Each structure stands twice: as C-alpha cells, then as structure tokens.
Amino acid sequence: MESDALILGDKLILRGLSFYGFHGAIPEERKLGQKFLVDIDAWMDLKAAGKSDHLSDTISYTEIYDIAKEALEGSPHNLLESVAQKIAVTTLTNHKQISAVRVKVESLMWQFRVNLIA
C-alpha cells in the first residue's frame, strides 16, 4: 500500500514524456538506442500556487522535465530501474518541497515498464 503522502495531497503530473536513449543490458539496445516514455507524479503542497498564480510558489514542470531528459538522454544504464531511480532521487534532492515521487519508465522497443515510488 502507498504511503499517506502518495494518497493524500496535491501533485504535479507529467505524462507521456518522450526521449531517445541508449539504455539496456542487450548490446543492440546500447548501440541502436530506442524511444522511452516517462510519467512522473510529484507530491507537494500546491495551495499557495493555486491562490497566488505565481510560478515562484510551485515548481516549474520544465525543471522536472529537464531531470528526466538528462537521465534518459545522458549516460547509459543497464536497467530501467536505475534510470527511474536516478530521476526520483534527483527530483527529491533538487526540490525539497516535493514529499514523494512516482516515476514510470517504459521501453517502447520491448514494451517493458518500471514503476518506482520514492
């Protein structure tokens, strides 16, 4: 069962982020690359942003997008679990106001999916 932080509260939702990367344990995956889809949920209090309509009271979606982009288009990993972990840890480290994050990385070449909750 998910923690209360995941069930209760506000969250930023990013869906269908598409990147091309060279991750995988099979040599062909690392040589040819493949397309990946990423979904991210980031739990945080959004009341102030909802009231003020100021970007300074929230986290820009582009900041989280950039974290995913760096992880997927950067150095290759053998496992999608490792890619998802990198996105989750970097998001939580860079944005202390985020209490929890869920990352889903999907390989379109093999139709594999990894869900990670941190």
Side-chain angles (χ1 to χ4, degrees):
M1 182 162 152
E2 296 178 359
S3 71
D4 289 343
L6 298 181
I7 296 169
L8 303 173
D10 306 323
K11 67 180 171 179
L12 297 175
I13 302 169
L14 290 83
R15 294 283 184 266
L17 307 180
S18 179
F19 303 101
Y20 198 86
F22 295 85
H23 308 287
I26 300 170
E28 289 79 10
E29 293 173 314
R30 287 177 169 262
K31 182 178 178 183
L32 301 173
Q34 60 186 301
K35 189 174 178 182
F36 295 92
L37 286 181
V38 179
D39 294 340
I40 302 170
D41 296 337
W43 280 264
M44 63 179 289
D45 186 354
L46 298 172
K47 284 183 210 131
K51 289 179 182 178
S52 72
D53 194 29
H54 292 217
L55 186 56
S56 61
D57 289 328
T58 189
I59 296 171
S60 172
Y61 289 95
T62 60
E63 293 179 35
I64 298 173
Y65 174 90
D66 289 343
I67 291 169
K69 180 178 174 64
E70 171 67 28
L72 268 296
E73 294 181 355
S75 300
H77 292 256
N78 288 321
L79 303 176
L80 294 184
E81 293 86 343
S82 180
V83 176
Q85 181 73 17
K86 181 175 184 176
I87 294 168
V89 168
T90 304
T91 300
L92 291 169
T93 301
N94 291 0
H95 301 289
K96 301 296 185 198
Q97 60 273 56
I98 295 177
S99 61
V101 65
R102 177 189 295 141
V103 179
K104 180 177 102 174
V105 179
E106 182 176 358
S107 162
L108 295 183
M109 178 183 276
W110 303 104
Q111 293 300 307
F112 292 132
R113 229 173 274 167
V114 172
N115 283 301
L116 179 99
I117 299 171

